[in-house]
Amino acid sequence: QLQLAESGGGSAQVGESLRLSCAASGNTRTANCLAWFRQSLGKEREGVAAIYRGSSGTTYTYVSDSDSVKGRVTISQDHDKTIAYLHMDSLKPEDTAVYYCAAGFHCNTATWNRGWNFDTWGQGTQVTVSS
């Protein structure tokens, strides 16, 4: 069974940077794609970024091109590819949300930000950005 644990959330000031971590444990063979979603109060969940390790060893990254995060987000993985890091720069109040990590067997440009593509979800970590 696969489990995901998010960490790194909390309070931040406008303009600061933040790094969230998603650690996968258990049956990580089903977690080839690790993604970050977020949901703000009253808004729909949105995909922020994802990272996928292909069968050939190639790593693919996907980052939202929405105006809300464009140019401020990067995603990376540790050497063992069981931890996905979401790094956000120049934080804004609208980044305030619960951030969820999700794992799926596969993702691509069409599916990385689709919630239905992911079988396992973390509990979420709250990020609050204030001025």
Side-chain angles (χ1 to χ4, degrees), residues 1 12 14 20 22 43 50-51 56 60 65 74 77-78 84 90 99-101 105 108 116 121-122 129 131:
Q1 187 175 359
V14 170
L20 303 179
C22 171
K43 294 186 178 181
I51 188 163
S56 63
Y60 302 86
D65 61 358
T74 57
Q77 257 180 338
D78 71 322
S90 304
Y99 286 72
Y100 297 94
C101 178
F105 185 74
N108 55 32
W116 52 257
W121 293 77
V129 182
S131 56

Side-chain angles (χ1 to χ4, degrees), residues 90-101:
S90 304
L91 290 169
K92 305 175 181 180
E94 47 265 45
D95 292 322
T96 296
V98 178
Y99 286 72
Y100 297 94
C101 178

Side-chain angles (χ1 to χ4, degrees), residues 53-64:
R53 65 170 187 264
S55 57
S56 63
T58 303
T59 297
Y60 302 86
T61 58
Y62 308 97
V63 179
S64 174

Side-chain angles (χ1 to χ4, degrees), residues 11-18 72 88-92 95 129-130:
S11 298
Q13 298 293 313
V14 170
E16 291 184 340
S17 297
L18 189 71
R72 301 189 296 116
M88 298 184 67
D89 292 320
S90 304
L91 290 169
K92 305 175 181 180
D95 292 322
V129 182
S130 57

Side-chain angles (χ1 to χ4, degrees), residues 4 27 52 60 92 103-104 109 113 121 126:
L4 302 175
N27 188 11
Y52 171 65
Y60 302 86
K92 305 175 181 180
T109 54
N113 58 351
W121 293 77
Q126 175 72 45

Side-chain angles (χ1 to χ4, degrees), residues 77-89:
Q77 257 180 338
D78 71 322
H79 178 73
D80 293 332
K81 303 189 185 303
T82 58
I83 302 176
Y85 301 102
L86 181 71
H87 188 96
M88 298 184 67
D89 292 320

